[in-house]
Amino acid sequence: MDSKKRNRHEQKPVPTGEEPLQQVPSASKADDEQDRRADMAKLARRRAAHFAHFKGDDDADNAADNVHTGSNEARTLGPWSSAVELVNARQKAQAAREDKLQGRAVAAVNGEEDPAQPVPKIQWSPTRDVSQGPRPGPSAIPALFTLCLTVLNEYVDCIDSLVGVPDTIRIKLAAFVCSKRRMSKEVAQLFAQGAPAEVVLPDCHHLDAVSMTDLVQECVTYRLERLELGSCGRGFGDSQAQHLTKLGTLHAMSQLSLGGAYRLSDQGLEQALTVLSALSSLKLAQCSRLTGSVIERLPSLLPILRHLDLHDCRGIAPEALISALPGLSQLQDLRLDGMHQVEDDVMSAIARMYSLRALGISYTQVCHKLYMIPVTLFGVSDQKFDFTLFPTMDRHQIIPIPYVRTSYLFLHNDKVSDVGLSSVAAGCPGLQALYMDECLKITDAGLLALSSGCKYLTVLSARRCTKLSDEALASVVQRGTLQRLLVSGVHGCGVRTMQALALNCKECLEHLDVSFCRGVTEQALGLVADSCRLLSNLVVFGCSHVGNTFLHGHSNDRLSEVIGIGTILAN
Amino acid sequence: MPKSTVKLVSREGFEFIIDYKAACVSNTIRNMLSSQGSFTETELGEVKFPEIPTPILEKVCQYFYYKLRYQNSTTKNIPEFQVPPEIALELLMAANFLDA
């Protein structure tokens, strides 16, 4: 700014004797005005670049009318003017939005829309007397178990010992105490005393190294079957892992989970795993010091491993995964979420695992480069799955792989497109659960392929996939097997999908999430609630048009909790 | 054929005679009493709990009546059910067994 001021002074005409004195101030004022405008315009241009980045969910044709970009005037006038304009136009824009949705909804009710594809009419009126008011709550009286848990939590410091308390109750008590933030070193010791078979502590961040050593020494016995320590990084390091070995081989131990053990290194883990050869489930979430060497030895250390969860272990080298994963012949459930080093070559290694049933690779590079790949191989063992065999193939395609037993797929990324989804649908006919939240490129074509390919889909989570439309969702629903449908934020979801649900998923639908779907009318929701008798959870955040007519007027007694009523879209 | 009262027998042999409806607050007792098979409990209307001590069973019966009384009440000031901390742990185990 200082340099500009200097420039201004240099450019100012030097007043000579001939010019009348009044001209000088006006000339400088005009200059000031010009410069200030120029400055403001520059500032606005810089800030506008931040706001002008669309992710493509808004309709392209409405970009000109979009109040959030401001008009051309706003750019030159400056940030204050554009802010005022935004405030004034907000009301108008909201009214326009409502009209559009109401117009669509009204047309849906009247069946006026497209003569070629008549929108079904939803005729539903409240089946329960609305004036009766809300249903009596599930229980104003808490269960005796919960009452006792609350009292115990209050006096948890006074508990002498938990000897004699069965393991299931210990686990529930530990979970409750952790959730109320009353877990401490002394309390944690209580749960380890008495040689329990299961020690599950969801929150161990209070335990430092000394107390963690005490805890481990206390609970490692020949009876121990399951050890789960969440957030244990502060206390759990290599020396504590060494304490696990003090009794020799633990034949009964089958489940080990060390969440957040960021001080655990390869040597410590390897020492611990040498005595735990009977492990069937190993979960090492967020153990960032692990590199490849212990993973490479996993097939020999843990031959009968069935569940492996390495999510967020970002230090593991992909070569280790490639060499180790195919060797785990009994592995059924593999989670590699959040590991950015998982790429195409790791995927081809995974593709060689026959028995894999569930795979999670959310937030990984694979999702950005390769889209989802279903697991396992063609039935012939000497055929290697290698991308170099397909040099001309675009890497952004997925090869459908038969004999796939994938049951669960987690896709969270914005590069998966219809090609990938249709290949998956063709290759995994046994798919039961598909989580594809925020896959912004998926359109109707992918969903239609899904509905024709996967006949046993019970869970579909397509939140914020904004390009999906009513007809495609209805076609997936028409399979009649859906138990949970989560379409929060999919603006296209409307009356047709709801009607398909009411018709086809009468005996199976249990959970429905239609938050922020303003096209779903009260009548549609009422129809779904009355037809699907198993429906017990309904989530309707942001659906401010759903009111008492639906809440008190539906006659489904299992639907006791409707979450999200009363929240409105922010103005 | 459901009788109007049910007898609950504690570890020490104390017998608590309560309403059928109050006993059915506990899912375990309700299943025992209304089962299709021929349990002795169904016939005699009596259930024995050899692992539940007497003061705990007494508290459990108080909870049954408390729940029955205030279950459908819509008044705002439902009194709190006091659980003395000394028996909380054993009461927890009993509640877990009885599914109440």
Side-chain angles (χ1 to χ4, degrees):
Chain A
M1 280 310 284
D2 280 305
S3 59
K4 291 197 177 54
K5 280 207 182 105
R6 258 183 265 123
N7 281 340
R8 204 181 305 148
H9 287 298
E10 280 164 26
Q11 285 168 10
K12 204 159 61 166
V14 177
T16 62
E18 285 99 2
E19 289 171 11
L21 274 167
Q22 293 94 322
Q23 282 181 6
V24 173
S26 65
S28 67
K29 219 204 276 180
D31 269 347
D32 277 341
E33 184 74 25
Q34 282 283 359
D35 288 331
R36 200 163 44 81
R37 267 181 170 244
D39 286 340
M40 284 300 170
K42 260 193 215 147
L43 187 70
R45 220 170 287 132
R46 228 173 40 220
R47 298 294 301 281
H50 169 72
F51 292 104
H53 173 65
F54 298 106
K55 276 217 167 156
D57 1 331
D58 287 327
D59 301 351
D61 51 338
N62 280 350
D65 310 331
N66 195 335
V67 71
H68 297 288
T69 59
S71 60
N72 278 334
E73 279 258 318
R75 296 261 166 92
T76 48
L77 286 177
W80 168 254
S81 307
S82 60
V84 167
E85 192 176 310
L86 266 177
V87 169
N88 292 339
R90 213 174 276 159
Q91 297 282 354
K92 230 178 5 163
Q94 200 206 10
R97 235 180 3 239
E98 272 304 325
D99 283 337
K100 188 164 91 164
L101 276 166
Q102 288 306 323
R104 198 160 23 128
V106 164
V109 170
N110 299 339
E112 275 168 13
E113 215 165 286
D114 195 355
Q117 269 180 343
V119 179
K121 294 187 198 182
I122 299 267
Q123 308 280 9
W124 177 82
S125 49
T127 43
R128 179 178 168 262
D129 190 7
V130 181
S131 56
Q132 265 186 7
R135 285 189 157 72
S139 51
I141 313 286
L144 186 59
F145 193 80
T146 323
L147 279 174
C148 295
L149 274 182
T150 320
V151 170
L152 275 174
N153 176 52
E154 231 179 278
Y155 292 95
V156 76
D157 301 322
C158 313
I159 300 181
D160 281 334
S161 86
L162 290 174
V163 175
V165 179
D167 287 330
T168 44
I169 299 188
R170 280 194 198 211
I171 294 176
K172 288 183 193 166
L173 182 60
F176 193 82
V177 170
C178 285
S179 71
K180 301 288 182 193
R181 298 285 183 259
R182 301 269 303 191
M183 183 61 73
S184 68
K185 303 177 202 174
E186 298 80 25
V187 174
Q189 281 291 93
L190 283 176
F191 290 100
Q193 284 164 355
E198 300 188 355
V199 176
V200 176
L201 296 173
D203 183 7
C204 301
H205 75 272
H206 280 290
L207 300 167
D208 57 2
V210 174
S211 35
M212 182 64 83
T213 314
D214 291 337
L215 182 81
V216 169
Q217 277 179 334
E218 187 77 44
C219 65
V220 167
T221 61
Y222 287 115
R223 279 195 68 209
L224 188 64
E225 288 170 15
R226 178 176 166 197
L227 178 62
E228 284 187 25
L229 301 172
S231 303
C232 60
R234 184 172 166 200
F236 203 93
D238 286 346
S239 52
Q240 282 77 20
Q242 206 176 9
H243 282 293
L244 279 175
T245 64
K246 64 170 185 172
L247 279 185
T249 317
L250 299 171
H251 295 285
M253 185 92 153
S254 62
Q255 297 182 44
L256 177 65
S257 166
L258 298 169
Y262 53 79
R263 296 194 313 149
L264 189 64
S265 74
D266 285 330
Q267 291 83 16
L269 185 61
E270 203 170 320
Q271 264 192 323
L273 290 182
T274 42
V275 299
L276 300 172
S277 47
L279 264 188
S280 71
S281 159
L282 178 63
K283 297 193 179 145
L284 296 165
Q286 296 166 333
C287 298
S288 19
R289 274 188 76 188
L290 290 183
T291 63
S293 53
V294 67
I295 304 295
E296 271 165 17
R297 298 208 47 212
L298 267 185
S300 52
L301 285 172
L302 306 172
I304 58 171
L305 193 66
R306 279 205 246 132
H307 300 264
L308 179 61
D309 185 350
L310 292 171
H311 82 258
D312 270 336
C313 290
R314 305 203 179 179
I316 297 184
E319 294 80 27
L321 288 171
I322 295 170
S323 62
L325 288 177
L328 294 164
S329 51
Q330 306 250 1
L331 202 66
Q332 286 178 357
D333 188 328
L334 175 64
R335 303 289 164 94
L336 299 173
D337 309 312
M339 294 171 74
H340 294 294
Q341 63 270 35
V342 171
E343 290 189 16
D344 303 347
D345 31 13
V346 180
M347 292 311 294
S348 47
I350 293 178
R352 281 184 266 147
M353 302 167 77
Y354 293 112
S355 52
L356 205 62
R357 299 251 165 101
L359 176 63
I361 53 170
S362 334
Y363 308 110
T364 59
Q365 282 287 69
V366 150
C367 293
H368 291 298
K369 280 194 195 163
L370 180 53
Y371 312 133
M372 189 52 202
I373 194 162
V375 204
T376 216
L377 187 57
F378 323 105
V380 187
S381 54
D382 56 346
Q383 208 167 8
K384 251 178 26 180
F385 186 71
D386 194 348
F387 279 103
T388 57
L389 293 177
F390 306 89
T392 55
M393 183 191 77
D394 181 16
R395 284 206 147 197
H396 296 262
Q397 284 177 350
I398 294 195
I399 303 168
I401 301 181
Y403 312 122
V404 150
R405 305 250 212 126
T406 312
S407 312
Y408 306 97
L409 267 184
F410 296 84
L411 300 171
H412 292 257
N413 65 88
D414 50 359
K415 300 275 184 4
V416 174
S417 73
D418 298 328
V419 174
L421 189 56
S422 33
S423 311
V424 163
C428 307
L431 196 65
Q432 286 173 8
L434 176 60
Y435 299 83
M436 51 179 204
D437 302 340
E438 286 196 43
C439 295
L440 296 169
K441 286 197 175 171
I442 302 256
T443 62
D444 298 347
L447 263 199
L448 288 170
L450 187 69
S451 70
S452 56
C454 300
K455 299 189 183 47
Y456 309 110
L457 203 64
T458 54
V459 178
L460 177 63
S461 175
R463 300 190 285 197
R464 299 179 288 280
C465 298
T466 44
K467 295 203 174 154
L468 301 178
S469 78
D470 223 1
E471 290 84 9
L473 283 170
S475 73
V476 175
V477 170
Q478 265 159 7
R479 278 285 163 195
T481 49
L482 273 181
Q483 286 173 5
R484 294 165 61 95
L485 179 64
L486 295 105
V487 285
S488 136
V490 177
H491 308 293
C493 178
V495 164
R496 206 173 268 147
T497 315
M498 295 295 117
Q499 182 145 75
L501 273 176
L503 270 176
N504 302 91
C505 295
K506 276 196 207 140
E507 286 90 38
C508 42
L509 190 69
E510 287 166 20
H511 180 112
L512 180 63
D513 180 357
V514 286
S515 309
F516 305 106
C517 297
R518 315 255 332 155
V520 174
T521 57
E522 262 188 314
Q523 282 78 21
L525 275 181
L527 187 65
V528 169
D530 282 340
S531 322
C532 303
R533 305 314 292 185
L534 286 185
L535 186 65
S536 54
N537 280 329
L538 182 63
V539 184
V540 284
F541 283 108
C543 292
S544 48
H545 54 280
V546 174
N548 285 343
T549 323
F550 165 70
L551 262 187
H552 304 160
H554 72 86
S555 58
N556 186 347
D557 286 327
R558 280 182 82 124
L559 187 62
S560 49
E561 225 187 322
V562 179
I563 304 177
I565 293 275
T567 59
I568 53 171
L569 281 176
N571 207 351
Chain B
M1 114 205 111
K3 310 203 185 330
S4 61
T5 61
V6 171
K7 197 194 295 190
L8 307 179
V9 185
S10 79
R11 183 166 65 189
E12 287 90 17
F14 277 82
E15 299 173 347
F16 292 88
I17 301 179
I18 57 174
D19 247 6
Y20 182 78
K21 271 205 191 147
C24 286
V25 166
S26 152
N27 289 330
T28 318
I29 298 181
R30 181 169 54 195
N31 290 338
M32 278 192 210
L33 292 176
S34 62
S35 59
Q36 303 289 351
S38 59
F39 286 111
T40 355
E41 288 96 2
T42 344
E43 289 163 19
L44 298 177
E46 173 183 316
V47 189
K48 290 202 170 70
F49 295 110
E51 10 9 76
I52 303 185
T54 311
I56 310 296
L57 193 56
E58 181 182 1
K59 203 69 185 170
V60 166
C61 293
Q62 286 177 7
Y63 176 78
F64 289 160
Y65 278 106
Y66 168 79
K67 172 126 187 202
L68 205 62
R69 160 80 180 84
Y70 291 110
Q71 204 169 13
N72 293 323
S73 150
T74 45
T75 54
K76 300 280 182 181
N77 42 357
I78 299 176
E80 206 188 304
F81 185 74
Q82 303 285 350
V83 175
E86 303 86 38
I87 62 167
L89 195 55
E90 290 165 323
L91 194 57
L92 182 77
M93 295 197 274
N96 183 50
F97 175 70
L98 290 172
D99 192 12

